[in-house]
Amino acid sequence: MEDVKEVFLKDYKKPEYEIKEVDLTFELYEEYTTVTNVMQMHKLNKDTSDLELNSIDLELVELWINDLKLKETRYIYKNEKLTILNVPSKFTIKIINTIYPDKNTELEGLYKSGSIFCTQNEPEGFRRITPYLDRPDVMSVFTTTIIAEQEKYPILLSNGNKKQCSEFMNSKHEVTWYDPHPKPSYLFALVAGDLGCVNDAFTTASGEGIELNIYCDKGNESKCSHAMKSLKESMTWDEEKYGREYDLEIYNIVAVDSFNMGAMENKGLNIFNSHYVLANEDTATDANFMGIQSVIAHEYFHNWTGNRITCRDWFQLTLKEGLTVFRDQSFSADLNSREVQRIEDVKALRERQFVEDASPTSHPIQPKSYISMNNFYTATVYEKGAEVIRMIHTLLGVEDYRKATDLYFESFDGQAVTTNDFLWAMSKASGVDLTQFERWYHQNATPVLQVKENFSDGVYTLTLTQNIPNSIDNEIQEPYYYPLKMALIDNEGNEILEETLIISKDEESFSFENLAFKPIVSLNRDFSAPIILEQESTDFAFLMKHDKNSFVRYESAQVFATQTIEAMMKGENIDQEFVSSYGYLLDLDVDLSYKALILELPSVSTLMQRQESIDFDAIYKAKEELSKHLAAVYENKLLSIYIEHHKPSSIDISSESMGSRSIKNRCLRILSSSLQGKITELASAQYDHSLTMTDRIVALDILESTGNESATSALNDFYRKYKNDTLVMNKYFSILAASDREGTLDRVMALQNDEVYDEKVPNLVRSLIGVFARNYKHFHAKDGKGYKFLAHKIIEIDKINPQMASGLAGAFKIYAKINKINQKIIKCELERVLSTHSLSKNVYEIINKILKL
Ligand code: PHE
Ligand code: ZN
């Protein structure tokens, strides 16, 4: 790799120019687009004479400074920089350039999703549209004019409020948008197309009327109602919980099929992956509905945390992402079940972030350097970032946290700031000293807390030792400061006391006096800190039955199941105490979605994270044996719960209906590990008669795993019904790619030729190739064929879309922890990828880190 440049946080320098206003005109043609960019520039650093603009793959047509057209000797365009020599201190610059959206397969800058023109500019896409100071601390007021064929592109959108539209004689029309709020270029957006639209309205607390629009492909309008409802719920919630109102006349959302990520918060014009907009009971699962609600909220919340107050530089990404994820998680918890939401969030954190934090790509929530910023939209920056904000919320308490966010908005509105500015506001408004807490921003890897207990003379003592792994560069890291919510309970589960301890030292003890008997400790309640607990002496069987904290109860069931499976992997018999405790859970009278969660056995990912040298075969074998045993022992009970809650005609997404579906599908899945014949019948009937996608997908997945005739017929039926709906076809590909059955890799390879599959559409690549790369059984097969296949795909897709390719390369992150045989094959494949001609810096950065270890 030539020209890989690493960017360092410590090298940050203020911008040398300011762009007061920018006026953009886009003329859209089928083969190309002409951009006219007029900027009002002010020099901030008097000592510079040249102006350097970011500029990638642009064809320059004309450059003007004030009224003077520049000769070619006045500027240099090379290495992604356009340098204009000797500029005055205050001037207008006009640049005309051509771009080719139709050929843009990276999906950054201006590109086409089907027949729709759309943009994606975070973090550094804008420089693929026009030369600019493409960095988040340059904020300007944008005016955007779009000119296109009226018939093909009746809808022309950009940020802000609509200023004027006019029709021309030559079948073209033009629309101008004006966004009064200064913003960085990464929040710029443009959309042009022949789109369907759902329209609604919202009145803010101070009485402003806002027009709400969701645009989608024509014919999909009826699938936008859940997204619209979620948008209005988000607007109300942000007013009530954070005192934040919306600040433009219009809020537009556009759903497109080709999108690298989930969605993007462009000011007043969010662009969404259609996966997070379109849904009805026939096409979307309950999980999809929840996902839409949270992503709609997430993007809406960015209007204040991200847009009004933005990041000084990309190292500050968690400033907006960690905070906004915490906000969307709180929103979902308020609107749905708080306990289920917390467990789902922690599950996601552990499966993605803990794995990342234990890998060679581990980084602090505020990274110190990057080669490709695209690689840092990670579970660490987002999910661990949200846990860090959650801890601040716990340390400050509800009231002071609100005072502190008010102060944050008041102090920094309209500015591009740092995580330190945020911490300043948190600390200033509450009086809480966050100096030591700040380590969460700069250190990496998951901290461990070792627990020792002692009871004598009525005094119970907890001794807690922080075990902090070294940094990724092997430097010693310091102890953290965090809240540890705990309780002492008696042998009937009653609380003796509940407290939030502050952990801050390498080792410290906490004593509780005047106790008549030895209490049982319930630790890290609600998962108050993102740590790994090591508690050898704890009675998890007791806690999983009796703890009143729904999180610790769930957690204890997981830990007990993990211990049971690990013992089986060492050749021991199934622990009968676990089996009987599991039976106890089956009889619980609790929220059904919660019950479905505590009945789930630990994931393969959870089990693998605890191994020194990962052996997937052993994990699968033990886990399957345990499920089989539970299914056999509790057959009748599982069946009766299934029957009680199987209501094929109830299709709504109320929490009761979703709860029924969760618990009965959990039971069906457990049963499916043992009773093949009977279960095939139940699953077939469920597939045939249920009216929701949730039920259909579970049934189809179970049938698929049998590989028998009923599987083939259900799969064929599903394909026939949904082959014109790509969002649903993603689910079809995922089921086949995640399959445990023999021959999965061959089927995945063959599916690439399916007429529905398209390597240029990220959702499809993720559901076929991406899901296969997380199919531990087949991807890590000892013959190395899974690795070879993925390496080949990475090389191929890198030429189309580097961001997609580096995402796929992430599947190799467990390299350092896998057994030696697999490691050797991976090394060989990754070296092959690295030696590829003109590899992107995205893929280079990830693979280089993995191999360096
Ligand atoms: N900023 C987006 C979000 O978190 C994510 C995103 C990043 C989308 C980069 C596209 C590209 O909501
Ligand atoms: Zn975000």
Side-chain angles (χ1 to χ4, degrees):
M1 288 290 297
E2 325 93 62
D3 71 331
V4 282
K5 263 229 301 293
E6 192 164 358
V7 184
F8 292 87
L9 168 57
K10 63 173 166 36
D11 294 342
Y12 173 83
K13 284 197 192 67
K14 286 202 182 113
E16 300 191 311
Y17 294 83
E18 169 177 40
I19 308 175
K20 289 263 188 218
E21 278 175 35
V22 50
D23 211 312
L24 301 168
T25 305
F26 290 82
E27 291 164 71
L28 307 176
Y29 302 94
E30 283 316 297
E31 287 83 37
Y32 64 95
T33 290
T34 304
V35 186
T36 305
N37 166 5
V38 180
M39 297 178 274
Q40 308 303 326
M41 309 291 303
H42 286 204
K43 204 178 274 186
L44 297 172
N45 178 357
K46 298 280 173 277
D47 301 332
T48 26
S49 59
D50 303 344
L51 169 67
E52 243 188 27
L53 299 170
N54 305 101
S55 175
I56 297 188
D57 289 342
L58 301 177
E59 239 173 67
L60 299 177
V61 181
E62 284 176 17
L63 271 78
W64 295 72
I65 284 193
N66 298 329
D67 290 323
L68 192 75
K69 185 170 167 185
L70 299 185
K71 298 215 179 71
E72 288 192 16
T73 48
R74 281 291 307 280
Y75 57 90
I76 303 159
Y77 183 18
K78 68 166 190 216
N79 298 337
E80 308 187 339
K81 290 262 164 65
L82 172 64
T83 308
I84 297 141
L85 306 168
N86 276 318
V87 296
S89 65
K90 213 169 144 187
F91 58 100
T92 302
I93 179 166
K94 175 162 102 179
I95 303 173
I96 303 175
N97 67 278
T98 310
I99 48 178
Y100 300 86
D102 204 33
K103 298 206 176 70
N104 180 346
T105 59
E106 287 107 327
L107 316 185
E108 274 184 286
L110 179 64
Y111 68 94
K112 281 190 109 177
S113 169
S115 58
I116 308 169
F117 280 95
C118 62
T119 51
Q120 174 50 45
N121 294 323
E122 188 182 1
E124 298 179 335
F126 195 74
R127 59 189 68 184
R128 297 171 185 274
I129 292 178
T130 190
Y132 203 74
L133 293 174
D134 190 11
R135 45 187 286 170
D137 56 354
V138 172
M139 298 171 86
S140 35
V141 173
F142 282 69
T143 303
T144 308
T145 301
I146 312 165
I147 304 166
E149 288 284 339
Q150 168 107 48
E151 210 175 276
K152 276 192 112 161
Y153 306 101
I155 308 288
L156 302 175
L157 308 172
S158 190
N159 318 87
N161 300 319
K162 202 183 217 174
K163 231 173 66 178
Q164 70 189 46
C165 359
S166 40
E167 286 171 26
F168 299 142
M169 298 299 286
N170 60 359
S171 78
K172 296 205 173 190
H173 69 145
E174 151 184 307
V175 179
T176 300
W177 292 83
Y178 173 73
D179 181 0
H181 302 284
K183 65 169 176 290
S185 51
Y186 83 88
L187 291 171
F188 172 81
L190 176 156
V191 169
D194 187 5
L195 295 156
C197 179
V198 176
N199 174 271
D200 209 322
F202 183 85
T203 307
T204 65
S206 40
E208 296 293 330
I210 318 271
E211 177 183 337
L212 310 177
N213 298 304
I214 301 184
Y215 292 92
C216 59
D217 280 337
K218 283 189 170 152
N220 281 336
E221 293 87 344
S222 68
K223 293 185 188 167
C224 297
S225 52
H226 183 66
M228 186 62 91
K229 178 168 174 270
S230 305
L231 175 59
K232 290 187 283 182
E233 288 165 344
S234 311
M235 297 177 87
T236 305
W237 188 90
D238 215 14
E239 290 184 348
E240 286 173 359
K241 295 295 158 84
Y242 282 81
R244 299 294 114 201
E245 290 184 20
Y246 188 60
D247 54 4
L248 286 167
E249 291 157 22
I250 309 187
Y251 194 86
N252 284 324
I253 290 176
V254 181
V256 300
D257 290 329
S258 292
F259 200 73
N260 278 338
M261 309 277 268
M264 180 62 210
E265 69 263 23
N266 316 301
K267 184 79 188 186
L269 176 54
N270 291 179
I271 297 179
F272 269 63
N273 186 326
S274 55
H275 177 78
Y276 288 111
V277 176
L278 306 176
N280 63 32
E281 318 77 44
D282 181 53
T283 60
T285 61
D286 294 342
N288 293 149
F289 278 100
M290 302 295 265
I292 290 169
Q293 189 187 43
S294 83
V295 177
I296 292 271
H298 181 97
E299 306 314 328
Y300 177 73
F301 297 156
H302 268 316
N303 189 56
W304 276 95
T305 52
N307 301 2
R308 289 287 289 248
I309 304 181
T310 194
C311 303
R312 187 194 71 174
D313 54 75
W314 291 120
F315 296 102
Q316 317 299 326
L317 184 60
T318 202
L319 172 80
K320 74 177 177 80
E321 296 305 345
L323 178 54
T324 304
V325 171
F326 173 66
R327 276 152 54 70
D328 83 57
Q329 291 177 349
S330 313
F331 163 79
S332 296
D334 283 350
L335 269 72
N336 310 298
S337 153
R338 181 166 301 280
E339 54 190 11
V340 169
Q341 181 68 33
R342 187 63 189 133
I343 293 169
E344 296 284 11
D345 290 340
V346 174
K347 261 176 76 175
L349 179 80
R350 284 177 172 155
E351 299 214 344
R352 309 196 311 119
Q353 202 279 324
F354 278 27
V355 175
E356 178 167 83
D357 231 350
S359 86
T361 59
S362 172
H363 51 276
I365 66 170
Q366 181 170 96
K368 294 175 177 60
S369 75
Y370 60 79
I371 292 176
S372 166
M373 186 52 211
N374 275 327
N375 286 332
F376 285 84
Y377 288 78
T378 59
T380 298
V381 170
Y382 276 65
E383 270 77 38
K384 187 175 182 178
E387 292 299 323
V388 170
I389 305 294
R390 182 183 299 274
M391 289 190 282
I392 295 176
H393 179 268
T394 308
L395 291 167
L396 270 59
V398 177
E399 270 169 37
D400 279 358
Y401 174 76
R402 173 62 193 268
K403 275 191 209 144
T405 57
D406 283 351
L407 178 63
Y408 174 65
F409 293 123
E410 208 175 281
S411 312
F412 302 112
D413 186 14
Q415 300 180 42
V417 304
T418 65
T419 56
N420 275 337
D421 295 321
F422 178 79
L423 286 174
W424 170 83
M426 295 298 112
S427 177
K428 171 95 181 159
S430 67
V432 176
D433 181 356
L434 296 170
T435 320
Q436 186 186 350
F437 183 84
E438 204 191 309
R439 289 180 187 152
W440 284 103
Y441 283 83
H442 311 300
Q443 302 190 152
N444 71 296
T446 312
V448 175
L449 187 67
Q450 257 170 14
V451 181
K452 288 218 175 65
E453 296 174 88
N454 183 58
F455 182 70
S456 64
D457 299 331
V459 181
Y460 173 80
T461 305
L462 261 181
T463 303
L464 304 173
T465 311
Q466 289 203 49
N467 211 326
I468 315 288
N470 283 357
S471 80
I472 193 84
D473 326 302
N474 222 11
E475 273 162 35
I476 290 173
Q477 303 194 111
E478 305 290 332
Y480 289 96
Y481 182 95
Y482 57 85
L484 187 74
K485 196 170 164 191
M486 55 83 68
L488 295 183
I489 56 188
D490 69 18
N491 53 13
E492 279 163 4
N494 301 313
E495 266 155 40
I496 303 166
L497 59 88
E498 184 179 63
E499 262 182 43
T500 300
L501 308 177
I502 300 294
I503 307 301
S504 65
K505 305 197 175 63
D506 272 322
E507 183 176 305
E508 51 200 314
S509 292
F510 299 88
S511 291
F512 305 89
E513 294 170 8
N514 297 325
L515 296 165
F517 50 85
K518 181 175 189 267
I520 295 153
V521 70
S522 164
L523 280 175
N524 209 13
R525 291 193 141 193
D526 305 328
F527 200 68
S528 62
I531 56 167
I532 295 171
L533 273 182
E534 273 179 16
Q535 10 174 193
E536 246 103 77
S537 60
T538 307
D539 185 351
F540 293 108
F542 176 83
L543 290 173
M544 82 186 253
K545 287 186 210 150
H546 302 298
D547 201 319
K548 296 204 168 56
N549 186 269
S550 53
F551 180 79
V552 175
R553 178 176 221 174
Y554 159 84
E555 179 69 355
S556 304
Q558 289 284 302
V559 176
F560 195 11
T562 302
Q563 290 172 344
T564 305
I565 293 171
E566 286 175 350
M568 291 166 70
M569 285 162 69
K570 287 194 207 112
E572 288 172 34
N573 289 335
I574 299 177
D575 183 342
Q576 290 309 315
E577 193 187 355
F578 175 73
V579 177
S580 64
S581 306
Y582 194 84
Y584 183 94
L585 296 183
L586 281 171
D587 289 331
L588 281 184
D589 181 19
V590 291
D591 173 85
L592 294 174
S593 300
Y594 175 64
K595 186 164 170 175
L597 275 175
I598 48 176
L599 289 172
E600 190 178 11
L601 291 180
S603 65
V604 174
S605 163
T606 305
L607 296 164
M608 109 195 158
Q609 286 176 54
R610 297 171 46 88
Q611 293 198 306
E612 295 274 314
S613 160
I614 301 171
D615 178 359
F616 287 111
D617 296 340
I619 295 176
Y620 273 93
K621 191 166 159 270
K623 194 181 160 183
E624 261 168 42
E625 199 186 322
L626 182 59
S627 322
K628 268 204 176 96
H629 186 75
L630 294 171
V633 173
Y634 296 114
E635 179 183 344
N636 292 336
K637 201 170 269 177
L638 289 162
L639 276 172
S640 75
I641 300 177
Y642 176 81
I643 290 158
E644 180 187 351
H645 295 289
H646 182 47
K647 301 164 190 152
S649 58
S650 106
I651 60 169
D652 66 291
I653 52 163
S654 64
S655 58
E656 294 77 35
S657 302
M658 288 202 280
S660 294
R661 285 191 286 273
S662 314
I663 190 68
K664 73 115 186 280
N665 285 322
R666 168 72 59 230
C667 292
L668 194 63
R669 278 191 190 279
I670 301 162
L671 284 164
S672 72
S673 55
S674 132
L675 311 166
Q676 289 299 358
K678 211 188 278 177
I679 296 316
T680 306
E681 260 170 52
L682 280 184
S684 287
Q686 175 164 321
Y687 178 82
D688 291 340
H689 302 301
S690 290
L691 298 174
T692 63
M693 184 51 82
T694 305
D695 279 358
R696 228 174 275 134
I697 278 293
V698 173
L700 190 65
D701 192 31
I702 290 173
L703 289 171
E704 197 282 337
S705 67
T706 68
N708 63 26
E709 272 162 43
S710 46
T712 320
S713 87
L715 285 164
N716 289 343
D717 175 74
F718 193 89
Y719 187 91
R720 229 179 298 116
K721 276 201 188 113
Y722 296 110
K723 71 162 185 276
N724 295 320
D725 187 333
T726 4
L727 282 181
V728 181
M729 286 310 288
N730 287 318
K731 303 179 198 303
Y732 174 87
F733 289 127
S734 298
I735 286 184
L736 289 159
S739 173
D740 273 5
R741 278 194 306 126
E742 285 312 300
T744 292
L745 175 57
D746 291 337
R747 282 188 296 277
V748 167
M749 285 171 150
L751 281 168
Q752 296 179 96
N753 302 319
D754 192 285
E755 61 177 289
V756 177
Y757 187 74
D758 181 350
E759 206 156 79
K760 292 202 181 71
V761 179
N763 287 354
L764 287 163
V765 176
R766 276 188 284 261
S767 26
L768 187 65
I769 317 292
V771 169
F772 175 76
R774 273 150 192 91
N775 179 336
Y776 299 115
K777 186 164 184 172
H778 291 291
F779 175 58
H780 296 282
K782 292 260 177 339
D783 62 9
K785 284 189 181 150
Y787 298 152
K788 200 182 191 75
F789 171 69
L790 191 70
H792 175 73
K793 286 286 118 185
I794 292 170
I795 295 170
E796 192 177 286
I797 291 170
D798 194 40
K799 302 205 184 339
I800 304 171
N801 183 337
Q803 207 179 329
M804 267 311 300
S806 84
L808 293 174
F812 289 112
K813 277 180 194 172
I814 63 171
Y815 170 69
K817 291 188 74 192
I818 204 158
N819 64 74
K820 293 282 171 286
I821 305 172
N822 288 60
Q823 215 171 58
K824 222 172 118 185
I825 320 174
I826 295 182
K827 181 157 191 267
C828 180
E829 291 300 333
L830 290 187
E831 278 167 353
R832 184 162 68 90
V833 178
L834 268 194
S835 69
T836 310
H837 182 64
S838 70
L839 195 68
S840 71
K841 61 179 184 175
N842 307 54
V843 172
Y844 169 83
E845 181 173 34
I846 297 288
I847 297 193
N848 194 45
K849 276 189 182 158
I850 295 175
L851 283 181
K852 255 194 189 152
L853 219 84

